């Protein structure tokens, strides 16, 4: 089989930060994207299927607010939108051979996510350590691009899933490892 196509994304990004009180800082941003998919085809030696040009555009706002709770401790809240457009392989990549076949979908929609998070960061440098952070996050994605095997087959396909919600807690530490005790 023969498959191919092209995608192109053009974008503009603007961001600025403001200190509006001694302990407060706000960051606002906006990303605008224009996406085009074109020259898509799938075929064999005897036949070919071509696909129409597609265009789409989205604006994705971002906002964050930080509060210096005490020296070395910052509380942050953030909210933003992200868009992921389908790739050439997801749109036009119908292939078969070997143990696995892949079915393309030239009508896939871009996935659109809204993400929010609340973080607490503690600078532990005064104690001879690094930086510790705890982040609670939530994301809702519409038309999620999800790859899976078709049940009972060896066929893989990417499809849009109506809605995916994710909650989580991330704990991170960067810096020297603490000593755990003598004799180690």
């Amino acid at each position: 089989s023969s498959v191919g196509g092209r995608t192109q994304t053009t974008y503009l990004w603007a961001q600025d930060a403001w200190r509006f009180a001694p302990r407060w800082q706000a960051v606002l941003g906006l990303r605008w994207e224009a996406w085009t998919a074109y020259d898509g085809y799938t075929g064999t030696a005897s036949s070919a299927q071509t696909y129409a040009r597609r265009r789409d555009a989205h604006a994705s706002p971002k906002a964050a607010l930080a509060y210096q709770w005490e020296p070395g401790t910052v509380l942050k809240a953030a909210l933003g939108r992200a868009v992921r457009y389908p790739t050439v392989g997801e749109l036009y990549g119908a292939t078969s051979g070997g143990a696995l076949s892949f079915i393309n979908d030239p009508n896939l929609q871009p996935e659109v996510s809204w993400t929010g998070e609340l973080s607490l960061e503690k600078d532990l440098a005064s104690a001879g350590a690094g930086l510790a952070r705890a982040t609670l996050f939530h994301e809702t994605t519409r038309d999620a691009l999800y790859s899976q095997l078709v049940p009972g087959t060896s066929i893989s396909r990417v499809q849009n899933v109506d809605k995916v919600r994710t909650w989580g807690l991330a704990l991170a530490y960067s810096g020297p490892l603490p000593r755990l005790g003598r004799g180690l």
Side-chain angles (χ1 to χ4, degrees):
S1 65
S2 175
V3 299
R6 298 181 181 273
T7 61
Q8 177 179 327
T9 305
T10 304
Y11 63 91
L12 295 171
W13 168 259
Q15 178 176 302
D16 203 358
W18 298 275
R19 287 202 179 276
F20 60 90
R23 294 181 172 197
W24 291 90
Q25 181 178 18
V27 178
L28 298 176
L30 182 67
R31 179 182 172 102
W32 175 83
E33 298 172 287
W35 174 81
T36 305
Y38 57 99
D39 293 342
Y41 67 91
T42 58
T44 62
S46 61
S47 68
Q49 170 73 44
T50 59
Y51 302 104
R53 176 181 289 257
R54 292 179 53 193
R55 295 176 192 256
D56 205 350
H58 287 91
S60 298
K62 319 263 189 238
L65 185 64
Y67 175 69
Q68 185 78 42
W69 189 357
E70 59 184 37
T73 304
V74 177
L75 184 62
K76 296 180 183 179
L79 178 66
R81 178 181 170 185
V83 177
R84 182 176 98 67
Y85 295 98
T87 66
V88 169
E90 292 165 340
L91 293 168
Y92 312 123
T95 58
S96 62
L100 185 65
S101 296
F102 179 80
I103 299 175
N104 67 309
D105 185 349
N107 298 311
L108 288 170
Q109 298 301 307
E111 66 178 31
V112 179
S113 300
W114 279 97
T115 302
E117 64 180 47
L118 183 61
S119 296
L120 180 67
E121 289 184 0
K122 178 70 175 169
D123 186 351
L124 304 170
S126 62
L131 180 71
R133 180 178 64 246
T135 303
L136 177 65
F137 61 89
H138 176 259
E139 179 173 270
T140 299
T141 302
R142 296 217 179 258
D143 290 324
L145 292 164
Y146 189 75
S147 177
Q148 66 181 357
L149 285 174
V150 176
T153 72
S154 61
I155 298 171
S156 177
R157 67 174 300 166
V158 175
Q159 60 191 20
N160 287 113
V161 173
D162 183 44
K163 185 193 294 186
V164 175
R165 289 187 179 145
T166 307
W167 286 91
L169 174 65
L171 302 174
Y173 170 78
S174 61
L177 292 175
R179 293 192 62 161
L180 299 175
R182 295 183 171 259
L184 292 179

